[in-house]
Amino acid sequence: MRRRKHSWQTGALSLNGTFDGKSLGSTDEEDPEIHSSCVSDTQSLEKKDEEDSLSSHLAAVLAVTSQPSATKNRFLEALNYVVLRSRIESGRTLTSDELACYGLPNLSQTCYMNSVLQSLLTLVPFVKELKKQSHQWRSHPKALLCKLLSDINNGFATKNRMQKKSTLFKFLRTIALHHPEFRNDAQQDAHEFLNTVLEQLSSVSTELRSMATDKEQSYTCPVEAHISFQMLSTMLCHSCGHKSENMEECLNLSVAPEDTIMQGIQLYLKEQLLDYKCHCGASQTTEQRSFFTLPNVLIIHLLRFKWSYFAAQKIHRPTCLSRELLLHTNQSSEKIKYSLKSIVNHLGSCTTSGHYICDGVYRNASQGDGNACWVTYDDDIVKETTFNHVCQQRQKTAYLLYYEKMEKD
């Protein structure tokens, strides 16, 4: 899938909403959630503080009793569940400290990087695989990006801004070693950056696998195991019947914005007439695409930018953000269910300015939890939201959508 670069205007919306011409983030369309002030519910917070105090007190009392460890753990799990349910009923599930930890500081026009990292690290199976393989990539000098990605994920447990800045700078510098377009302070396209990160993570898999084999061990690349998939393209001449097939390794699926995400996928898979002349001389050749394999995480790239010889144009067509998708391969008619986990949004009215933010399900939520809390990431500003709010607000701005395969019941 070819990638195009497009230019961006330097400019930013500061935290108080004013325009700063030295750093990017400006947008001509305002987001009600991002730019609205956070209204706190005093009674709800007081109730939460009481619950936290009660939880801590009972845990301390239980710790000095003579009950077996297993009993203590069961009691604490039940207690935490009661506290969590109480927070949900009061309309708040995360504390302000918890939210602040998930923010990433902007290094100067790096909202594209932050939104991609925040969306990617929302994918729990992908992150688990990355950690699981740490004994392999930690000992390989070319796998520095794996270590830095893991460090960024571990940084979500702290509010240490300087530590996060240092790790993000090293991450971007490592990317730029092989992709100099990311070396300057200019804004970049989030889709291009995502592809670059995934390609670099998988580029060392052969060496890591070989190194592991020498030690009689094994290595599984997180990108290959969870994100990569294969598309089959079949070309057919309707005149002579000649057929040819081509297999393509993909990291995401680029589809046009339609009324729904599923309609965009169906249009992509629809048989299309090609401007191609067969060796028999006929011009009646069609191409049909199909999923040969399906990944654990399917990333949908909405083609929001339309390019022509003279200018570029942003497509604002609203697309209904489906919470679930049902897909199948050409090998089987069995439907595989996917659930939406995170979204990268481009805010802005044109291709020459804009700002990226991310919406994602709270990463500690259990898989298949339809009531899981959602979070909006605007660099280092993190707020709670709901899936319904995201669906309403992001129909015109959704750019990258991450769908995770659901476990069978």
Side-chain angles (χ1 to χ4, degrees):
M1 298 180 183
R2 290 186 178 179
R3 298 176 290 168
R4 284 180 171 268
K5 290 188 67 64
H6 48 273
S7 59
W8 299 83
Q9 174 183 324
T10 303
L13 275 175
S14 63
L15 300 187
N16 60 12
T18 59
F19 185 82
D20 174 8
K22 295 183 179 180
S23 60
L24 185 125
S26 71
T27 173
D28 295 321
E29 63 184 58
E30 294 187 356
D31 181 274
E33 176 160 329
I34 296 301
H35 300 293
S36 62
S37 59
C38 190
V39 180
S40 63
D41 187 331
T42 305
Q43 292 181 343
S44 175
L45 292 178
E46 289 177 352
K47 183 178 180 180
K48 179 185 73 65
D49 291 339
E50 291 175 2
E51 291 162 352
D52 289 344
S53 177
L54 175 62
S55 175
S56 300
H57 178 68
L58 290 178
V61 171
L62 185 61
V64 297
T65 66
S66 59
Q67 295 190 44
S69 177
T71 305
K72 294 179 185 178
N73 291 337
R74 285 196 297 270
F75 177 82
L76 289 175
E77 287 176 2
L79 181 61
N80 287 333
Y81 176 79
V82 170
V83 172
L84 178 61
R85 291 306 306 171
S86 178
R87 289 183 184 177
I88 292 175
E89 291 168 1
S90 68
R92 184 170 184 81
T93 58
L94 300 173
T95 66
S96 57
D97 284 343
E98 287 173 319
L99 289 170
C101 288
Y102 290 113
L104 293 176
N106 194 314
L107 304 182
S108 176
Q109 305 188 58
T110 55
C111 58
Y112 69 92
M113 175 175 69
N114 289 347
S115 59
V116 164
L117 291 172
Q118 286 160 329
S119 60
L120 191 61
L121 294 173
T122 297
L123 309 173
V124 176
F126 173 82
V127 174
K128 284 184 176 179
E129 192 71 64
L130 180 68
K131 292 180 177 179
K132 184 180 177 182
Q133 305 301 322
S134 63
H135 62 290
Q136 301 295 351
W137 50 253
R138 283 191 185 280
S139 58
H140 200 291
K142 292 184 180 180
L144 177 60
L145 202 67
C146 295
K147 177 185 181 303
L148 292 172
L149 185 61
S150 179
D151 289 345
I152 291 170
N153 182 69
N154 294 336
F156 289 141
T158 178
K159 292 189 292 183
N160 190 324
R161 185 179 177 86
M162 293 307 297
Q163 176 184 324
K164 291 184 178 184
K165 275 191 170 185
S166 175
T167 308
L168 288 170
F169 177 78
K170 292 176 184 176
F171 187 88
L172 189 56
R173 184 176 60 184
T174 303
I175 290 288
L177 287 176
H178 300 285
H179 299 272
E181 64 268 28
F182 296 107
R183 190 170 293 163
N184 55 39
D185 291 334
Q187 171 67 299
Q188 303 288 341
D189 178 60
H191 177 237
E192 291 190 15
F193 184 75
L194 171 65
N195 277 343
T196 301
V197 170
L198 296 179
E199 287 167 2
Q200 257 189 257
L201 288 173
S202 59
S203 66
V204 295
S205 61
T206 301
E207 292 185 41
L208 288 174
R209 199 172 287 115
S210 176
M211 183 182 71
T213 301
D214 292 341
K215 297 187 292 185
E216 297 185 348
Q217 298 175 353
S218 63
Y219 173 76
T220 301
C221 174
V223 176
E224 295 173 359
H226 296 279
I227 296 177
S228 296
F229 62 98
Q230 293 178 311
M231 292 295 297
L232 179 66
S233 173
T234 304
M235 293 177 62
L236 175 65
C237 175
H238 291 268
S239 178
C240 69
H242 176 74
K243 184 171 76 171
S244 63
E245 294 182 336
N246 179 53
M247 196 78 71
E248 182 183 4
E249 292 284 339
C250 301
L251 295 173
N252 49 72
L253 198 67
S254 296
V255 304
E258 296 292 325
D259 290 342
T260 67
I261 298 297
M262 199 63 216
Q263 286 180 9
I265 296 175
Q266 290 170 344
L267 180 63
Y268 179 84
L269 300 176
K270 184 179 179 180
E271 187 177 37
Q272 299 179 27
L273 182 64
L274 297 179
D275 183 16
Y276 173 82
K277 182 173 287 187
C278 180
H279 61 79
C280 71
S283 300
Q284 299 176 355
T285 302
T286 59
E287 180 185 28
Q288 176 86 57
R289 301 186 185 100
S290 59
F291 288 104
F292 189 76
T293 62
L294 280 167
N296 289 332
V297 176
L298 178 63
I299 304 175
I300 303 294
H301 166 226
L302 289 182
L303 296 166
R304 289 285 180 196
F305 304 107
K306 184 177 181 180
W307 298 89
S308 67
Y309 182 78
F310 297 101
Q313 172 187 359
K314 184 177 179 183
I315 300 174
H316 297 277
R317 177 173 178 172
T319 298
C320 180
L321 305 183
S322 311
R323 188 163 200 163
E324 294 180 354
L325 297 176
L326 286 174
L327 301 170
H328 67 88
T329 68
N330 60 0
Q331 311 293 309
S332 171
S333 59
E334 181 184 3
K335 299 285 187 179
I336 297 176
K337 184 183 289 187
Y338 285 85
S339 177
L340 184 60
K341 293 299 180 181
S342 57
I343 307 168
V344 172
N345 305 276
H346 177 265
L347 307 182
S349 61
C350 61
T351 61
T352 55
S353 66
H355 179 57
Y356 287 106
I357 63 170
C358 168
D359 298 297
V361 68
Y362 178 50
R363 67 195 69 227
N364 289 337
S366 59
Q367 188 182 46
D369 185 359
N371 298 316
C373 170
W374 274 64
V375 178
T376 295
Y377 307 90
D378 183 2
D379 290 326
D380 55 354
I381 301 175
V382 185
K383 299 178 183 178
E384 277 192 67
T385 185
T386 65
F387 177 77
N388 289 337
H389 180 84
V390 169
C391 281
Q392 293 170 3
Q393 295 296 320
R394 312 305 188 204
Q395 293 187 21
K396 294 183 179 182
T397 62
Y399 188 45
L400 300 170
L401 300 101
Y402 298 70
Y403 283 90
E404 197 172 276
K405 185 187 293 185
M406 298 180 68
E407 296 177 355
K408 294 182 180 179
D409 297 332

